[in-house]
Amino acid sequence: MRLLTVPQALAEHEPVERTLSASTWGEEKDLRTWDSPPVADLAWGARRLELRLLRALSGGLRGPAASRAARELLAVQASDWAFLDKRGQAGDYAFQRATSHAKAALEAIDSPATADPRMRALAPDLSLSPLLQP
């Protein structure tokens, strides 16, 4: 097998347009595992938390509290809490973990002076700059 860069491959092969379908490894290979009525509380809660963090950042939240809140948001969004919750194989563990990360994010937003520095190992090179863009 010969390795090529993307520009080399495009120069050597005619591109073929194809329709991309939404697909995941979740049940039925669609997005219902992460975004459907059984997990709506987790999906909408994550979105509300994201908007709350953006509002706090636009209001001047910075420093360790902003970083902690962003890392907790990542923990809410990046994990398969909805997958576990929908399948019910772990009891209420997934829901509790997601809501505990959300609670910690809200604590960092609402009480920035006392923000706990935990979660530094999650996204150690975290940059808030994409969240600060207009």
PDB file of all heavy atoms in Angstrom, residues 5-43:
ATOM      1  N   THR A   5      -0.552  11.841   0.551  1.00  0.00           N
ATOM      2  CA  THR A   5      -1.191  12.959   1.230  1.00  0.00           C
ATOM      3  C   THR A   5      -2.538  13.199   0.547  1.00  0.00           C
ATOM      4  O   THR A   5      -2.776  12.706  -0.574  1.00  0.00           O
ATOM      5  CB  THR A   5      -0.339  14.231   1.136  1.00  0.00           C
ATOM      6  OG1 THR A   5      -0.253  14.624  -0.239  1.00  0.00           O
ATOM      7  CG2 THR A   5       1.060  14.015   1.726  1.00  0.00           C
ATOM      8  N   VAL A   6      -3.400  13.963   1.165  1.00  0.00           N
ATOM      9  CA  VAL A   6      -4.701  14.253   0.549  1.00  0.00           C
ATOM     10  C   VAL A   6      -4.522  14.968  -0.786  1.00  0.00           C
ATOM     11  O   VAL A   6      -5.140  14.573  -1.787  1.00  0.00           O
ATOM     12  CB  VAL A   6      -5.610  15.046   1.520  1.00  0.00           C
ATOM     13  CG1 VAL A   6      -6.872  15.519   0.816  1.00  0.00           C
ATOM     14  CG2 VAL A   6      -5.963  14.199   2.739  1.00  0.00           C
ATOM     15  N   PRO A   7      -3.666  15.996  -0.873  1.00  0.00           N
ATOM     16  CA  PRO A   7      -3.488  16.636  -2.186  1.00  0.00           C
ATOM     17  C   PRO A   7      -2.972  15.665  -3.255  1.00  0.00           C
ATOM     18  O   PRO A   7      -3.397  15.733  -4.406  1.00  0.00           O
ATOM     19  CB  PRO A   7      -2.473  17.756  -1.914  1.00  0.00           C
ATOM     20  CG  PRO A   7      -2.644  18.064  -0.456  1.00  0.00           C
ATOM     21  CD  PRO A   7      -2.971  16.740   0.178  1.00  0.00           C
ATOM     22  N   GLN A   8      -2.065  14.750  -2.894  1.00  0.00           N
ATOM     23  CA  GLN A   8      -1.575  13.762  -3.866  1.00  0.00           C
ATOM     24  C   GLN A   8      -2.710  12.845  -4.326  1.00  0.00           C
ATOM     25  O   GLN A   8      -2.841  12.563  -5.514  1.00  0.00           O
ATOM     26  CB  GLN A   8      -0.460  12.921  -3.251  1.00  0.00           C
ATOM     27  CG  GLN A   8       0.838  13.658  -3.035  1.00  0.00           C
ATOM     28  CD  GLN A   8       1.825  12.828  -2.214  1.00  0.00           C
ATOM     29  OE1 GLN A   8       1.439  12.086  -1.313  1.00  0.00           O
ATOM     30  NE2 GLN A   8       3.107  12.979  -2.521  1.00  0.00           N
ATOM     31  N   ALA A   9      -3.498  12.377  -3.390  1.00  0.00           N
ATOM     32  CA  ALA A   9      -4.603  11.489  -3.731  1.00  0.00           C
ATOM     33  C   ALA A   9      -5.598  12.185  -4.642  1.00  0.00           C
ATOM     34  O   ALA A   9      -6.098  11.589  -5.607  1.00  0.00           O
ATOM     35  CB  ALA A   9      -5.289  10.986  -2.463  1.00  0.00           C
ATOM     36  N   LEU A  10      -5.899  13.450  -4.355  1.00  0.00           N
ATOM     37  CA  LEU A  10      -6.830  14.194  -5.209  1.00  0.00           C
ATOM     38  C   LEU A  10      -6.266  14.408  -6.607  1.00  0.00           C
ATOM     39  O   LEU A  10      -7.008  14.396  -7.594  1.00  0.00           O
ATOM     40  CB  LEU A  10      -7.178  15.535  -4.563  1.00  0.00           C
ATOM     41  CG  LEU A  10      -8.078  15.459  -3.335  1.00  0.00           C
ATOM     42  CD1 LEU A  10      -8.194  16.826  -2.676  1.00  0.00           C
ATOM     43  CD2 LEU A  10      -9.439  14.907  -3.696  1.00  0.00           C
ATOM     44  N   ALA A  11      -4.957  14.585  -6.699  1.00  0.00           N
ATOM     45  CA  ALA A  11      -4.327  14.767  -8.007  1.00  0.00           C
ATOM     46  C   ALA A  11      -4.343  13.471  -8.820  1.00  0.00           C
ATOM     47  O   ALA A  11      -4.429  13.501 -10.047  1.00  0.00           O
ATOM     48  CB  ALA A  11      -2.889  15.265  -7.836  1.00  0.00           C
ATOM     49  N   GLU A  12      -4.303  12.341  -8.149  1.00  0.00           N
ATOM     50  CA  GLU A  12      -4.230  11.049  -8.840  1.00  0.00           C
ATOM     51  C   GLU A  12      -5.581  10.357  -9.031  1.00  0.00           C
ATOM     52  O   GLU A  12      -5.683   9.425  -9.815  1.00  0.00           O
ATOM     53  CB  GLU A  12      -3.293  10.111  -8.070  1.00  0.00           C
ATOM     54  CG  GLU A  12      -1.853  10.584  -8.063  1.00  0.00           C
ATOM     55  CD  GLU A  12      -0.939   9.617  -7.324  1.00  0.00           C
ATOM     56  OE1 GLU A  12      -1.302   8.429  -7.181  1.00  0.00           O
ATOM     57  OE2 GLU A  12       0.135  10.062  -6.898  1.00  0.00           O
ATOM     58  N   HIS A  13      -6.578  10.774  -8.309  1.00  0.00           N
ATOM     59  CA  HIS A  13      -7.873  10.096  -8.364  1.00  0.00           C
ATOM     60  C   HIS A  13      -8.998  11.108  -8.504  1.00  0.00           C
ATOM     61  O   HIS A  13      -9.013  12.129  -7.825  1.00  0.00           O
ATOM     62  CB  HIS A  13      -8.101   9.265  -7.088  1.00  0.00           C
ATOM     63  CG  HIS A  13      -7.027   8.272  -6.840  1.00  0.00           C
ATOM     64  ND1 HIS A  13      -6.952   7.069  -7.494  1.00  0.00           N
ATOM     65  CD2 HIS A  13      -5.948   8.316  -6.013  1.00  0.00           C
ATOM     66  CE1 HIS A  13      -5.895   6.399  -7.087  1.00  0.00           C
ATOM     67  NE2 HIS A  13      -5.257   7.137  -6.177  1.00  0.00           N
ATOM     68  N   GLU A  14      -9.919  10.798  -9.371  1.00  0.00           N
ATOM     69  CA  GLU A  14     -11.084  11.667  -9.563  1.00  0.00           C
ATOM     70  C   GLU A  14     -11.995  11.571  -8.340  1.00  0.00           C
ATOM     71  O   GLU A  14     -12.412  10.476  -7.961  1.00  0.00           O
ATOM     72  CB  GLU A  14     -11.848  11.224 -10.820  1.00  0.00           C
ATOM     73  CG  GLU A  14     -12.959  12.148 -11.212  1.00  0.00           C
ATOM     74  CD  GLU A  14     -12.466  13.506 -11.677  1.00  0.00           C
ATOM     75  OE1 GLU A  14     -11.363  13.602 -12.233  1.00  0.00           O
ATOM     76  OE2 GLU A  14     -13.215  14.467 -11.465  1.00  0.00           O
ATOM     77  N   PRO A  15     -12.308  12.701  -7.704  1.00  0.00           N
ATOM     78  CA  PRO A  15     -13.213  12.651  -6.551  1.00  0.00           C
ATOM     79  C   PRO A  15     -14.611  12.187  -6.969  1.00  0.00           C
ATOM     80  O   PRO A  15     -15.060  12.466  -8.075  1.00  0.00           O
ATOM     81  CB  PRO A  15     -13.263  14.100  -6.064  1.00  0.00           C
ATOM     82  CG  PRO A  15     -12.104  14.783  -6.702  1.00  0.00           C
ATOM     83  CD  PRO A  15     -11.809  14.040  -7.958  1.00  0.00           C
ATOM     84  N   VAL A  16     -15.258  11.463  -6.075  1.00  0.00           N
ATOM     85  CA  VAL A  16     -16.615  10.996  -6.314  1.00  0.00           C
ATOM     86  C   VAL A  16     -17.503  11.622  -5.251  1.00  0.00           C
ATOM     87  O   VAL A  16     -17.258  11.453  -4.057  1.00  0.00           O
ATOM     88  CB  VAL A  16     -16.694   9.445  -6.224  1.00  0.00           C
ATOM     89  CG1 VAL A  16     -18.128   8.972  -6.380  1.00  0.00           C
ATOM     90  CG2 VAL A  16     -15.775   8.815  -7.252  1.00  0.00           C
ATOM     91  N   GLU A  17     -18.522  12.376  -5.702  1.00  0.00           N
ATOM     92  CA  GLU A  17     -19.440  12.979  -4.740  1.00  0.00           C
ATOM     93  C   GLU A  17     -20.409  11.938  -4.231  1.00  0.00           C
ATOM     94  O   GLU A  17     -20.967  11.166  -4.995  1.00  0.00           O
ATOM     95  CB  GLU A  17     -20.210  14.132  -5.389  1.00  0.00           C
ATOM     96  CG  GLU A  17     -19.446  15.411  -5.363  1.00  0.00           C
ATOM     97  CD  GLU A  17     -20.350  16.606  -5.592  1.00  0.00           C
ATOM     98  OE1 GLU A  17     -21.474  16.630  -5.053  1.00  0.00           O
ATOM     99  OE2 GLU A  17     -19.894  17.499  -6.313  1.00  0.00           O
ATOM    100  N   ARG A  18     -20.582  11.929  -2.913  1.00  0.00           N
ATOM    101  CA  ARG A  18     -21.524  11.009  -2.283  1.00  0.00           C
ATOM    102  C   ARG A  18     -22.266  11.744  -1.193  1.00  0.00           C
ATOM    103  O   ARG A  18     -21.710  12.608  -0.528  1.00  0.00           O
ATOM    104  CB  ARG A  18     -20.789   9.819  -1.678  1.00  0.00           C
ATOM    105  CG  ARG A  18     -20.057   9.043  -2.742  1.00  0.00           C
ATOM    106  CD  ARG A  18     -19.809   7.654  -2.330  1.00  0.00           C
ATOM    107  NE  ARG A  18     -19.295   6.976  -3.511  1.00  0.00           N
ATOM    108  CZ  ARG A  18     -18.360   6.095  -3.494  1.00  0.00           C
ATOM    109  NH1 ARG A  18     -17.833   5.735  -2.373  1.00  0.00           N
ATOM    110  NH2 ARG A  18     -17.948   5.537  -4.603  1.00  0.00           N
ATOM    111  N   THR A  19     -23.482  11.371  -0.988  1.00  0.00           N
ATOM    112  CA  THR A  19     -24.265  11.943   0.086  1.00  0.00           C
ATOM    113  C   THR A  19     -23.818  11.320   1.396  1.00  0.00           C
ATOM    114  O   THR A  19     -23.687  10.103   1.502  1.00  0.00           O
ATOM    115  CB  THR A  19     -25.760  11.652  -0.127  1.00  0.00           C
ATOM    116  OG1 THR A  19     -26.136  12.161  -1.399  1.00  0.00           O
ATOM    117  CG2 THR A  19     -26.597  12.298   0.952  1.00  0.00           C
ATOM    118  N   LEU A  20     -23.573  12.173   2.382  1.00  0.00           N
ATOM    119  CA  LEU A  20     -23.206  11.679   3.701  1.00  0.00           C
ATOM    120  C   LEU A  20     -24.463  11.569   4.552  1.00  0.00           C
ATOM    121  O   LEU A  20     -25.247  12.506   4.643  1.00  0.00           O
ATOM    122  CB  LEU A  20     -22.215  12.609   4.386  1.00  0.00           C
ATOM    123  CG  LEU A  20     -20.813  12.642   3.810  1.00  0.00           C
ATOM    124  CD1 LEU A  20     -19.966  13.664   4.573  1.00  0.00           C
ATOM    125  CD2 LEU A  20     -20.162  11.281   3.883  1.00  0.00           C
ATOM    126  N   SER A  21     -24.641  10.452   5.167  1.00  0.00           N
ATOM    127  CA  SER A  21     -25.767  10.252   6.067  1.00  0.00           C
ATOM    128  C   SER A  21     -25.282  10.339   7.498  1.00  0.00           C
ATOM    129  O   SER A  21     -24.147   9.981   7.793  1.00  0.00           O
ATOM    130  CB  SER A  21     -26.384   8.868   5.839  1.00  0.00           C
ATOM    131  OG  SER A  21     -26.825   8.736   4.519  1.00  0.00           O
ATOM    132  N   ALA A  22     -26.151  10.807   8.365  1.00  0.00           N
ATOM    133  CA  ALA A  22     -25.812  10.801   9.785  1.00  0.00           C
ATOM    134  C   ALA A  22     -25.632   9.351  10.204  1.00  0.00           C
ATOM    135  O   ALA A  22     -26.463   8.500   9.891  1.00  0.00           O
ATOM    136  CB  ALA A  22     -26.917  11.456  10.596  1.00  0.00           C
ATOM    137  N   SER A  23     -24.543   9.081  10.876  1.00  0.00           N
ATOM    138  CA  SER A  23     -24.272   7.706  11.265  1.00  0.00           C
ATOM    139  C   SER A  23     -23.392   7.691  12.508  1.00  0.00           C
ATOM    140  O   SER A  23     -22.526   8.540  12.663  1.00  0.00           O
ATOM    141  CB  SER A  23     -23.560   6.978  10.128  1.00  0.00           C
ATOM    142  OG  SER A  23     -23.217   5.676  10.518  1.00  0.00           O
ATOM    143  N   THR A  24     -23.648   6.736  13.380  1.00  0.00           N
ATOM    144  CA  THR A  24     -22.829   6.580  14.573  1.00  0.00           C
ATOM    145  C   THR A  24     -22.775   5.095  14.901  1.00  0.00           C
ATOM    146  O   THR A  24     -23.436   4.276  14.267  1.00  0.00           O
ATOM    147  CB  THR A  24     -23.426   7.315  15.792  1.00  0.00           C
ATOM    148  OG1 THR A  24     -24.367   6.471  16.433  1.00  0.00           O
ATOM    149  CG2 THR A  24     -24.085   8.603  15.420  1.00  0.00           C
ATOM    150  N   TRP A  25     -22.046   4.770  15.933  1.00  0.00           N
ATOM    151  CA  TRP A  25     -22.014   3.381  16.378  1.00  0.00           C
ATOM    152  C   TRP A  25     -23.168   3.078  17.323  1.00  0.00           C
ATOM    153  O   TRP A  25     -23.321   1.969  17.793  1.00  0.00           O
ATOM    154  CB  TRP A  25     -20.669   3.051  17.027  1.00  0.00           C
ATOM    155  CG  TRP A  25     -20.326   3.923  18.191  1.00  0.00           C
ATOM    156  CD1 TRP A  25     -19.597   5.068  18.166  1.00  0.00           C
ATOM    157  CD2 TRP A  25     -20.711   3.732  19.550  1.00  0.00           C
ATOM    158  NE1 TRP A  25     -19.510   5.594  19.427  1.00  0.00           N
ATOM    159  CE2 TRP A  25     -20.183   4.796  20.307  1.00  0.00           C
ATOM    160  CE3 TRP A  25     -21.452   2.764  20.211  1.00  0.00           C
ATOM    161  CZ2 TRP A  25     -20.373   4.921  21.666  1.00  0.00           C
ATOM    162  CZ3 TRP A  25     -21.632   2.899  21.581  1.00  0.00           C
ATOM    163  CH2 TRP A  25     -21.092   3.960  22.277  1.00  0.00           C
ATOM    164  N   GLY A  26     -24.001   4.056  17.604  1.00  0.00           N
ATOM    165  CA  GLY A  26     -25.127   3.860  18.506  1.00  0.00           C
ATOM    166  C   GLY A  26     -26.180   2.929  17.919  1.00  0.00           C
ATOM    167  O   GLY A  26     -26.103   2.503  16.765  1.00  0.00           O
ATOM    168  N   GLU A  27     -27.179   2.647  18.716  1.00  0.00           N
ATOM    169  CA  GLU A  27     -28.254   1.760  18.280  1.00  0.00           C
ATOM    170  C   GLU A  27     -28.877   2.269  16.992  1.00  0.00           C
ATOM    171  O   GLU A  27     -29.094   3.459  16.824  1.00  0.00           O
ATOM    172  CB  GLU A  27     -29.309   1.657  19.379  1.00  0.00           C
ATOM    173  CG  GLU A  27     -28.773   0.961  20.615  1.00  0.00           C
ATOM    174  CD  GLU A  27     -29.766   0.943  21.753  1.00  0.00           C
ATOM    175  OE1 GLU A  27     -30.969   1.131  21.510  1.00  0.00           O
ATOM    176  OE2 GLU A  27     -29.331   0.746  22.888  1.00  0.00           O
ATOM    177  N   GLU A  28     -29.181   1.363  16.104  1.00  0.00           N
ATOM    178  CA  GLU A  28     -29.782   1.661  14.803  1.00  0.00           C
ATOM    179  C   GLU A  28     -28.883   2.537  13.921  1.00  0.00           C
ATOM    180  O   GLU A  28     -29.311   3.010  12.885  1.00  0.00           O
ATOM    181  CB  GLU A  28     -31.161   2.308  14.957  1.00  0.00           C
ATOM    182  CG  GLU A  28     -32.145   1.510  15.768  1.00  0.00           C
ATOM    183  CD  GLU A  28     -32.466   0.147  15.183  1.00  0.00           C
ATOM    184  OE1 GLU A  28     -32.590   0.023  13.940  1.00  0.00           O
ATOM    185  OE2 GLU A  28     -32.585  -0.809  15.974  1.00  0.00           O
ATOM    186  N   LYS A  29     -27.649   2.749  14.339  1.00  0.00           N
ATOM    187  CA  LYS A  29     -26.658   3.528  13.577  1.00  0.00           C
ATOM    188  C   LYS A  29     -27.109   4.952  13.254  1.00  0.00           C
ATOM    189  O   LYS A  29     -26.683   5.558  12.290  1.00  0.00           O
ATOM    190  CB  LYS A  29     -26.281   2.803  12.271  1.00  0.00           C
ATOM    191  CG  LYS A  29     -25.743   1.417  12.487  1.00  0.00           C
ATOM    192  CD  LYS A  29     -24.461   1.459  13.259  1.00  0.00           C
ATOM    193  CE  LYS A  29     -23.905   0.059  13.435  1.00  0.00           C
ATOM    194  NZ  LYS A  29     -23.197  -0.121  14.658  1.00  0.00           N
ATOM    195  N   ASP A  30     -28.015   5.479  14.075  1.00  0.00           N
ATOM    196  CA  ASP A  30     -28.413   6.871  13.921  1.00  0.00           C
ATOM    197  C   ASP A  30     -28.157   7.592  15.238  1.00  0.00           C
ATOM    198  O   ASP A  30     -27.504   7.051  16.120  1.00  0.00           O
ATOM    199  CB  ASP A  30     -29.863   6.996  13.455  1.00  0.00           C
ATOM    200  CG  ASP A  30     -30.858   6.403  14.441  1.00  0.00           C
ATOM    201  OD1 ASP A  30     -30.513   6.190  15.620  1.00  0.00           O
ATOM    202  OD2 ASP A  30     -31.999   6.147  14.027  1.00  0.00           O
ATOM    203  N   LEU A  31     -28.658   8.796  15.378  1.00  0.00           N
ATOM    204  CA  LEU A  31     -28.316   9.612  16.541  1.00  0.00           C
ATOM    205  C   LEU A  31     -29.258   9.459  17.724  1.00  0.00           C
ATOM    206  O   LEU A  31     -29.099  10.139  18.733  1.00  0.00           O
ATOM    207  CB  LEU A  31     -28.233  11.082  16.121  1.00  0.00           C
ATOM    208  CG  LEU A  31     -27.203  11.363  15.024  1.00  0.00           C
ATOM    209  CD1 LEU A  31     -27.266  12.810  14.592  1.00  0.00           C
ATOM    210  CD2 LEU A  31     -25.806  10.991  15.460  1.00  0.00           C
ATOM    211  N   ARG A  32     -30.227   8.542  17.631  1.00  0.00           N
ATOM    212  CA  ARG A  32     -31.212   8.430  18.711  1.00  0.00           C
ATOM    213  C   ARG A  32     -30.599   8.017  20.047  1.00  0.00           C
ATOM    214  O   ARG A  32     -31.167   8.282  21.089  1.00  0.00           O
ATOM    215  CB  ARG A  32     -32.340   7.480  18.327  1.00  0.00           C
ATOM    216  CG  ARG A  32     -31.965   6.018  18.410  1.00  0.00           C
ATOM    217  CD  ARG A  32     -33.069   5.129  17.978  1.00  0.00           C
ATOM    218  NE  ARG A  32     -33.125   5.214  16.519  1.00  0.00           N
ATOM    219  CZ  ARG A  32     -34.027   4.618  15.789  1.00  0.00           C
ATOM    220  NH1 ARG A  32     -34.949   3.900  16.345  1.00  0.00           N
ATOM    221  NH2 ARG A  32     -34.002   4.716  14.490  1.00  0.00           N
ATOM    222  N   THR A  33     -29.465   7.377  20.024  1.00  0.00           N
ATOM    223  CA  THR A  33     -28.816   6.984  21.278  1.00  0.00           C
ATOM    224  C   THR A  33     -28.475   8.210  22.117  1.00  0.00           C
ATOM    225  O   THR A  33     -28.551   8.183  23.328  1.00  0.00           O
ATOM    226  CB  THR A  33     -27.543   6.169  20.985  1.00  0.00           C
ATOM    227  OG1 THR A  33     -27.920   4.998  20.267  1.00  0.00           O
ATOM    228  CG2 THR A  33     -26.819   5.771  22.249  1.00  0.00           C
ATOM    229  N   TRP A  34     -28.084   9.288  21.445  1.00  0.00           N
ATOM    230  CA  TRP A  34     -27.640  10.484  22.152  1.00  0.00           C
ATOM    231  C   TRP A  34     -28.655  11.621  22.133  1.00  0.00           C
ATOM    232  O   TRP A  34     -28.500  12.594  22.855  1.00  0.00           O
ATOM    233  CB  TRP A  34     -26.324  10.975  21.557  1.00  0.00           C
ATOM    234  CG  TRP A  34     -25.236  10.009  21.802  1.00  0.00           C
ATOM    235  CD1 TRP A  34     -24.420   9.957  22.899  1.00  0.00           C
ATOM    236  CD2 TRP A  34     -24.858   8.907  20.996  1.00  0.00           C
ATOM    237  NE1 TRP A  34     -23.561   8.899  22.805  1.00  0.00           N
ATOM    238  CE2 TRP A  34     -23.806   8.227  21.645  1.00  0.00           C
ATOM    239  CE3 TRP A  34     -25.292   8.409  19.778  1.00  0.00           C
ATOM    240  CZ2 TRP A  34     -23.194   7.113  21.129  1.00  0.00           C
ATOM    241  CZ3 TRP A  34     -24.692   7.287  19.260  1.00  0.00           C
ATOM    242  CH2 TRP A  34     -23.641   6.649  19.935  1.00  0.00           C
ATOM    243  N   ASP A  35     -29.675  11.506  21.294  1.00  0.00           N
ATOM    244  CA  ASP A  35     -30.607  12.610  21.130  1.00  0.00           C
ATOM    245  C   ASP A  35     -31.996  12.072  20.788  1.00  0.00           C
ATOM    246  O   ASP A  35     -32.383  12.032  19.628  1.00  0.00           O
ATOM    247  CB  ASP A  35     -30.103  13.543  20.016  1.00  0.00           C
ATOM    248  CG  ASP A  35     -30.928  14.810  19.904  1.00  0.00           C
ATOM    249  OD1 ASP A  35     -31.703  15.101  20.823  1.00  0.00           O
ATOM    250  OD2 ASP A  35     -30.783  15.496  18.885  1.00  0.00           O
ATOM    251  N   SER A  36     -32.706  11.659  21.810  1.00  0.00           N
ATOM    252  CA  SER A  36     -34.058  11.140  21.628  1.00  0.00           C
ATOM    253  C   SER A  36     -34.826  11.348  22.930  1.00  0.00           C
ATOM    254  O   SER A  36     -34.232  11.675  23.959  1.00  0.00           O
ATOM    255  CB  SER A  36     -34.006   9.654  21.262  1.00  0.00           C
ATOM    256  OG  SER A  36     -33.467   8.901  22.317  1.00  0.00           O
ATOM    257  N   PRO A  37     -36.140  11.185  22.909  1.00  0.00           N
ATOM    258  CA  PRO A  37     -36.915  11.422  24.133  1.00  0.00           C
ATOM    259  C   PRO A  37     -36.389  10.715  25.385  1.00  0.00           C
ATOM    260  O   PRO A  37     -36.355  11.332  26.458  1.00  0.00           O
ATOM    261  CB  PRO A  37     -38.321  10.968  23.749  1.00  0.00           C
ATOM    262  CG  PRO A  37     -38.398  11.266  22.279  1.00  0.00           C
ATOM    263  CD  PRO A  37     -37.018  10.922  21.753  1.00  0.00           C
ATOM    264  N   PRO A  38     -35.930   9.458  25.306  1.00  0.00           N
ATOM    265  CA  PRO A  38     -35.455   8.821  26.545  1.00  0.00           C
ATOM    266  C   PRO A  38     -34.246   9.506  27.186  1.00  0.00           C
ATOM    267  O   PRO A  38     -34.017   9.362  28.378  1.00  0.00           O
ATOM    268  CB  PRO A  38     -35.099   7.396  26.119  1.00  0.00           C
ATOM    269  CG  PRO A  38     -35.902   7.152  24.888  1.00  0.00           C
ATOM    270  CD  PRO A  38     -35.980   8.490  24.197  1.00  0.00           C
ATOM    271  N   VAL A  39     -33.470  10.233  26.405  1.00  0.00           N
ATOM    272  CA  VAL A  39     -32.285  10.913  26.948  1.00  0.00           C
ATOM    273  C   VAL A  39     -32.360  12.425  26.763  1.00  0.00           C
ATOM    274  O   VAL A  39     -31.355  13.121  26.843  1.00  0.00           O
ATOM    275  CB  VAL A  39     -30.976  10.356  26.331  1.00  0.00           C
ATOM    276  CG1 VAL A  39     -30.765   8.910  26.747  1.00  0.00           C
ATOM    277  CG2 VAL A  39     -30.976  10.508  24.820  1.00  0.00           C
ATOM    278  N   ALA A  40     -33.566  12.923  26.537  1.00  0.00           N
ATOM    279  CA  ALA A  40     -33.747  14.361  26.297  1.00  0.00           C
ATOM    280  C   ALA A  40     -33.249  15.194  27.459  1.00  0.00           C
ATOM    281  O   ALA A  40     -32.658  16.265  27.257  1.00  0.00           O
ATOM    282  CB  ALA A  40     -35.207  14.667  26.008  1.00  0.00           C
ATOM    283  N   ASP A  41     -33.454  14.727  28.687  1.00  0.00           N
ATOM    284  CA  ASP A  41     -32.998  15.502  29.841  1.00  0.00           C
ATOM    285  C   ASP A  41     -31.484  15.695  29.811  1.00  0.00           C
ATOM    286  O   ASP A  41     -30.977  16.780  30.098  1.00  0.00           O
ATOM    287  CB  ASP A  41     -33.444  14.865  31.149  1.00  0.00           C
ATOM    288  CG  ASP A  41     -33.150  13.387  31.245  1.00  0.00           C
ATOM    289  OD1 ASP A  41     -32.699  12.774  30.248  1.00  0.00           O
ATOM    290  OD2 ASP A  41     -33.377  12.816  32.326  1.00  0.00           O
ATOM    291  N   LEU A  42     -30.747  14.678  29.413  1.00  0.00           N
ATOM    292  CA  LEU A  42     -29.288  14.805  29.334  1.00  0.00           C
ATOM    293  C   LEU A  42     -28.880  15.680  28.153  1.00  0.00           C
ATOM    294  O   LEU A  42     -28.005  16.544  28.281  1.00  0.00           O
ATOM    295  CB  LEU A  42     -28.639  13.429  29.216  1.00  0.00           C
ATOM    296  CG  LEU A  42     -28.725  12.544  30.454  1.00  0.00           C
ATOM    297  CD1 LEU A  42     -28.194  11.155  30.158  1.00  0.00           C
ATOM    298  CD2 LEU A  42     -27.976  13.170  31.612  1.00  0.00           C
ATOM    299  N   ALA A  43     -29.499  15.475  26.996  1.00  0.00           N
ATOM    300  CA  ALA A  43     -29.140  16.245  25.807  1.00  0.00           C
ATOM    301  C   ALA A  43     -29.447  17.733  25.997  1.00  0.00           C
ATOM    302  O   ALA A  43     -28.597  18.594  25.737  1.00  0.00           O
ATOM    303  CB  ALA A  43     -29.875  15.701  24.585  1.00  0.00           C
TER     304      ALA A  43
END
